[in-house]
mmCIF file of all heavy atoms in Angstrom:
data_model
loop_
_atom_site.group_PDB
_atom_site.id
_atom_site.type_symbol
_atom_site.label_atom_id
_atom_site.label_comp_id
_atom_site.label_asym_id
_atom_site.label_seq_id
_atom_site.Cartn_x
_atom_site.Cartn_y
_atom_site.Cartn_z
ATOM 1 N N SER V 842 -11.232 18.664 -25.824
ATOM 2 C CA SER V 842 -10.321 18.645 -24.682
ATOM 3 C C SER V 842 -10.186 17.234 -24.114
ATOM 4 O O SER V 842 -11.030 16.375 -24.321
ATOM 5 C CB SER V 842 -10.807 19.597 -23.600
ATOM 6 O OG SER V 842 -12.053 19.168 -23.110
ATOM 7 N N TYR V 843 -9.095 17.041 -23.387
ATOM 8 C CA TYR V 843 -8.765 15.741 -22.817
ATOM 9 C C TYR V 843 -8.359 15.948 -21.372
ATOM 10 O O TYR V 843 -7.490 16.762 -21.082
ATOM 11 C CB TYR V 843 -7.612 15.122 -23.608
ATOM 12 C CG TYR V 843 -7.210 13.753 -23.118
ATOM 13 C CD1 TYR V 843 -7.771 12.615 -23.663
ATOM 14 C CD2 TYR V 843 -6.259 13.602 -22.110
ATOM 15 C CE1 TYR V 843 -7.408 11.358 -23.232
ATOM 16 C CE2 TYR V 843 -5.888 12.344 -21.666
ATOM 17 C CZ TYR V 843 -6.469 11.232 -22.237
ATOM 18 O OH TYR V 843 -6.110 9.987 -21.796
ATOM 19 N N GLN V 844 -8.982 15.197 -20.467
ATOM 20 C CA GLN V 844 -8.588 15.213 -19.062
ATOM 21 C C GLN V 844 -8.592 13.775 -18.559
ATOM 22 O O GLN V 844 -9.514 13.024 -18.843
ATOM 23 C CB GLN V 844 -9.545 16.047 -18.226
ATOM 24 C CG GLN V 844 -9.510 17.522 -18.548
ATOM 25 C CD GLN V 844 -10.422 18.301 -17.631
ATOM 26 O OE1 GLN V 844 -10.429 18.088 -16.422
ATOM 27 N NE2 GLN V 844 -11.201 19.208 -18.210
ATOM 28 N N GLU V 845 -7.546 13.434 -17.802
ATOM 29 C CA GLU V 845 -7.409 12.079 -17.279
ATOM 30 C C GLU V 845 -6.884 12.137 -15.851
ATOM 31 O O GLU V 845 -5.943 12.864 -15.551
ATOM 32 C CB GLU V 845 -6.439 11.288 -18.160
ATOM 33 C CG GLU V 845 -6.165 9.887 -17.675
ATOM 34 C CD GLU V 845 -5.165 9.148 -18.559
ATOM 35 O OE1 GLU V 845 -5.017 9.493 -19.750
ATOM 36 O OE2 GLU V 845 -4.511 8.225 -18.038
ATOM 37 N N LEU V 846 -7.510 11.366 -14.963
ATOM 38 C CA LEU V 846 -7.058 11.205 -13.585
ATOM 39 C C LEU V 846 -6.816 9.721 -13.361
ATOM 40 O O LEU V 846 -7.713 8.904 -13.565
ATOM 41 C CB LEU V 846 -8.110 11.718 -12.598
ATOM 42 C CG LEU V 846 -7.840 11.441 -11.119
ATOM 43 C CD1 LEU V 846 -6.592 12.178 -10.638
ATOM 44 C CD2 LEU V 846 -9.055 11.815 -10.285
ATOM 45 N N ASP V 847 -5.592 9.371 -12.962
ATOM 46 C CA ASP V 847 -5.239 7.984 -12.673
ATOM 47 C C ASP V 847 -4.995 7.840 -11.175
ATOM 48 O O ASP V 847 -4.202 8.588 -10.604
ATOM 49 C CB ASP V 847 -3.962 7.567 -13.405
ATOM 50 C CG ASP V 847 -4.051 7.731 -14.914
ATOM 51 O OD1 ASP V 847 -5.158 7.962 -15.429
ATOM 52 O OD2 ASP V 847 -3.007 7.622 -15.568
ATOM 53 N N LEU V 848 -5.669 6.887 -10.555
ATOM 54 C CA LEU V 848 -5.457 6.576 -9.144
ATOM 55 C C LEU V 848 -4.948 5.142 -9.054
ATOM 56 O O LEU V 848 -5.551 4.229 -9.615
ATOM 57 C CB LEU V 848 -6.748 6.741 -8.351
ATOM 58 C CG LEU V 848 -7.354 8.147 -8.376
ATOM 59 C CD1 LEU V 848 -8.668 8.166 -7.602
ATOM 60 C CD2 LEU V 848 -6.374 9.165 -7.804
ATOM 61 N N THR V 849 -3.834 4.968 -8.345
ATOM 62 C CA THR V 849 -3.153 3.680 -8.301
ATOM 63 C C THR V 849 -2.827 3.294 -6.866
ATOM 64 O O THR V 849 -2.451 4.145 -6.062
ATOM 65 C CB THR V 849 -1.810 3.774 -9.087
ATOM 66 O OG1 THR V 849 -2.080 4.225 -10.391
ATOM 67 C CG2 THR V 849 -1.117 2.444 -9.149
ATOM 68 N N SER V 850 -2.966 2.010 -6.580
ATOM 69 C CA SER V 850 -2.460 1.481 -5.314
ATOM 70 C C SER V 850 -1.682 0.206 -5.621
ATOM 71 O O SER V 850 -2.104 -0.605 -6.440
ATOM 72 C CB SER V 850 -3.591 1.205 -4.324
ATOM 73 O OG SER V 850 -4.478 0.245 -4.843
ATOM 74 N N THR V 851 -0.521 0.074 -4.974
ATOM 75 C CA THR V 851 0.333 -1.093 -5.180
ATOM 76 C C THR V 851 0.772 -1.623 -3.819
ATOM 77 O O THR V 851 1.331 -0.878 -3.013
ATOM 78 C CB THR V 851 1.585 -0.727 -6.007
ATOM 79 O OG1 THR V 851 1.189 -0.072 -7.212
ATOM 80 C CG2 THR V 851 2.393 -1.969 -6.341
ATOM 81 N N LEU V 852 0.516 -2.888 -3.573
ATOM 82 C CA LEU V 852 1.017 -3.548 -2.373
ATOM 83 C C LEU V 852 2.316 -4.232 -2.773
ATOM 84 O O LEU V 852 2.326 -5.122 -3.632
ATOM 85 C CB LEU V 852 0.021 -4.568 -1.831
ATOM 86 C CG LEU V 852 0.455 -5.299 -0.562
ATOM 87 C CD1 LEU V 852 0.684 -4.309 0.590
ATOM 88 C CD2 LEU V 852 -0.574 -6.355 -0.185
ATOM 89 N N GLN V 853 3.443 -3.783 -2.189
ATOM 90 C CA GLN V 853 4.764 -4.280 -2.557
ATOM 91 C C GLN V 853 5.354 -5.112 -1.426
ATOM 92 O O GLN V 853 5.217 -4.757 -0.262
ATOM 93 C CB GLN V 853 5.707 -3.117 -2.855
ATOM 94 C CG GLN V 853 5.246 -2.263 -4.015
ATOM 95 C CD GLN V 853 6.083 -1.012 -4.173
ATOM 96 O OE1 GLN V 853 6.345 -0.319 -3.198
ATOM 97 N NE2 GLN V 853 6.490 -0.727 -5.398
ATOM 98 N N ALA V 854 6.018 -6.202 -1.817
ATOM 99 C CA ALA V 854 6.702 -7.074 -0.855
ATOM 100 C C ALA V 854 8.168 -7.160 -1.236
ATOM 101 O O ALA V 854 8.505 -7.481 -2.377
ATOM 102 C CB ALA V 854 6.072 -8.459 -0.855
ATOM 103 N N LYS V 855 9.038 -6.856 -0.274
ATOM 104 C CA LYS V 855 10.484 -6.958 -0.483
ATOM 105 C C LYS V 855 10.901 -8.376 -0.122
ATOM 106 O O LYS V 855 10.776 -8.802 1.019
ATOM 107 C CB LYS V 855 11.216 -5.938 0.388
ATOM 108 C CG LYS V 855 12.704 -5.971 0.245
ATOM 109 C CD LYS V 855 13.187 -4.739 -0.471
ATOM 110 C CE LYS V 855 14.697 -4.671 -0.485
ATOM 111 N NZ LYS V 855 15.265 -5.059 -1.748
ATOM 112 N N ILE V 856 11.373 -9.107 -1.154
ATOM 113 C CA ILE V 856 11.761 -10.505 -0.967
ATOM 114 C C ILE V 856 13.208 -10.627 -1.423
ATOM 115 O O ILE V 856 13.483 -10.752 -2.611
ATOM 116 C CB ILE V 856 10.846 -11.441 -1.785
ATOM 117 C CG1 ILE V 856 9.378 -11.177 -1.443
ATOM 118 C CG2 ILE V 856 11.221 -12.901 -1.554
ATOM 119 C CD1 ILE V 856 8.396 -11.722 -2.438
ATOM 120 N N GLY V 857 14.134 -10.503 -0.498
ATOM 121 C CA GLY V 857 15.549 -10.509 -0.841
ATOM 122 C C GLY V 857 15.898 -9.298 -1.686
ATOM 123 O O GLY V 857 15.585 -8.168 -1.326
ATOM 124 N N ALA V 858 16.505 -9.533 -2.840
ATOM 125 C CA ALA V 858 16.924 -8.438 -3.720
ATOM 126 C C ALA V 858 15.817 -7.990 -4.677
ATOM 127 O O ALA V 858 16.010 -7.082 -5.467
ATOM 128 C CB ALA V 858 18.139 -8.878 -4.529
ATOM 129 N N VAL V 859 14.647 -8.629 -4.600
ATOM 130 C CA VAL V 859 13.538 -8.324 -5.511
ATOM 131 C C VAL V 859 12.366 -7.733 -4.729
ATOM 132 O O VAL V 859 12.053 -8.171 -3.631
ATOM 133 C CB VAL V 859 13.080 -9.602 -6.252
ATOM 134 C CG1 VAL V 859 11.852 -9.344 -7.100
ATOM 135 C CG2 VAL V 859 14.212 -10.162 -7.097
ATOM 136 N N THR V 860 11.747 -6.726 -5.324
ATOM 137 C CA THR V 860 10.497 -6.193 -4.791
ATOM 138 C C THR V 860 9.394 -6.546 -5.783
ATOM 139 O O THR V 860 9.462 -6.184 -6.961
ATOM 140 C CB THR V 860 10.568 -4.669 -4.599
ATOM 141 O OG1 THR V 860 11.630 -4.370 -3.681
ATOM 142 C CG2 THR V 860 9.267 -4.127 -4.042
ATOM 143 N N ALA V 861 8.383 -7.283 -5.299
ATOM 144 C CA ALA V 861 7.251 -7.685 -6.132
ATOM 145 C C ALA V 861 6.016 -6.948 -5.640
ATOM 146 O O ALA V 861 5.880 -6.668 -4.448
ATOM 147 C CB ALA V 861 7.039 -9.194 -6.054
ATOM 148 N N GLY V 862 5.126 -6.626 -6.574
ATOM 149 C CA GLY V 862 3.936 -5.894 -6.177
ATOM 150 C C GLY V 862 2.694 -6.329 -6.920
ATOM 151 O O GLY V 862 2.756 -6.844 -8.038
ATOM 152 N N LEU V 863 1.556 -6.098 -6.290
ATOM 153 C CA LEU V 863 0.245 -6.277 -6.908
ATOM 154 C C LEU V 863 -0.340 -4.879 -7.038
ATOM 155 O O LEU V 863 -0.491 -4.172 -6.036
ATOM 156 C CB LEU V 863 -0.649 -7.165 -6.046
ATOM 157 C CG LEU V 863 -2.041 -7.439 -6.606
ATOM 158 C CD1 LEU V 863 -1.953 -8.185 -7.942
ATOM 159 C CD2 LEU V 863 -2.848 -8.246 -5.599
ATOM 160 N N LYS V 864 -0.656 -4.482 -8.275
ATOM 161 C CA LYS V 864 -1.030 -3.099 -8.570
ATOM 162 C C LYS V 864 -2.446 -3.031 -9.146
ATOM 163 O O LYS V 864 -2.803 -3.794 -10.040
ATOM 164 C CB LYS V 864 -0.033 -2.527 -9.586
ATOM 165 C CG LYS V 864 -0.299 -1.107 -10.016
ATOM 166 C CD LYS V 864 0.781 -0.664 -11.006
ATOM 167 C CE LYS V 864 0.602 0.755 -11.471
ATOM 168 N NZ LYS V 864 1.677 1.156 -12.403
ATOM 169 N N TYR V 865 -3.244 -2.085 -8.626
ATOM 170 C CA TYR V 865 -4.564 -1.791 -9.199
ATOM 171 C C TYR V 865 -4.560 -0.333 -9.633
ATOM 172 O O TYR V 865 -4.114 0.548 -8.893
ATOM 173 C CB TYR V 865 -5.691 -2.010 -8.188
ATOM 174 C CG TYR V 865 -7.003 -1.493 -8.713
ATOM 175 C CD1 TYR V 865 -7.690 -2.187 -9.699
ATOM 176 C CD2 TYR V 865 -7.519 -0.285 -8.269
ATOM 177 C CE1 TYR V 865 -8.879 -1.694 -10.218
ATOM 178 C CE2 TYR V 865 -8.701 0.213 -8.777
ATOM 179 C CZ TYR V 865 -9.378 -0.492 -9.750
ATOM 180 O OH TYR V 865 -10.547 -0.001 -10.268
ATOM 181 N N GLU V 866 -5.060 -0.083 -10.846
ATOM 182 C CA GLU V 866 -5.113 1.281 -11.366
ATOM 183 C C GLU V 866 -6.485 1.548 -11.961
ATOM 184 O O GLU V 866 -7.047 0.714 -12.659
ATOM 185 C CB GLU V 866 -4.032 1.470 -12.434
ATOM 186 C CG GLU V 866 -3.822 2.914 -12.813
ATOM 187 C CD GLU V 866 -2.451 3.151 -13.424
ATOM 188 O OE1 GLU V 866 -1.751 2.193 -13.753
ATOM 189 O OE2 GLU V 866 -2.080 4.319 -13.569
ATOM 190 N N HIS V 867 -7.030 2.725 -11.642
ATOM 191 C CA HIS V 867 -8.300 3.163 -12.226
ATOM 192 C C HIS V 867 -8.055 4.484 -12.942
ATOM 193 O O HIS V 867 -7.527 5.426 -12.357
ATOM 194 C CB HIS V 867 -9.378 3.341 -11.158
ATOM 195 C CG HIS V 867 -10.721 3.583 -11.753
ATOM 196 N ND1 HIS V 867 -11.574 2.555 -12.061
ATOM 197 C CD2 HIS V 867 -11.339 4.721 -12.140
ATOM 198 C CE1 HIS V 867 -12.682 3.055 -12.596
ATOM 199 N NE2 HIS V 867 -12.558 4.365 -12.656
ATOM 200 N N TYR V 868 -8.417 4.529 -14.223
ATOM 201 C CA TYR V 868 -8.268 5.733 -15.040
ATOM 202 C C TYR V 868 -9.649 6.364 -15.198
ATOM 203 O O TYR V 868 -10.579 5.718 -15.674
ATOM 204 C CB TYR V 868 -7.751 5.383 -16.440
ATOM 205 C CG TYR V 868 -6.438 4.662 -16.496
ATOM 206 C CD1 TYR V 868 -6.357 3.285 -16.305
ATOM 207 C CD2 TYR V 868 -5.267 5.352 -16.787
ATOM 208 C CE1 TYR V 868 -5.152 2.622 -16.398
ATOM 209 C CE2 TYR V 868 -4.054 4.686 -16.878
ATOM 210 C CZ TYR V 868 -4.009 3.330 -16.682
ATOM 211 O OH TYR V 868 -2.815 2.669 -16.775
#
């Protein structure tokens, strides 16, 4: 069997027409 839980947090900044983010993910 296979089970996976992914938890993610992303801090996003809207800079004009672009949204940039710093993302951390734990699987």
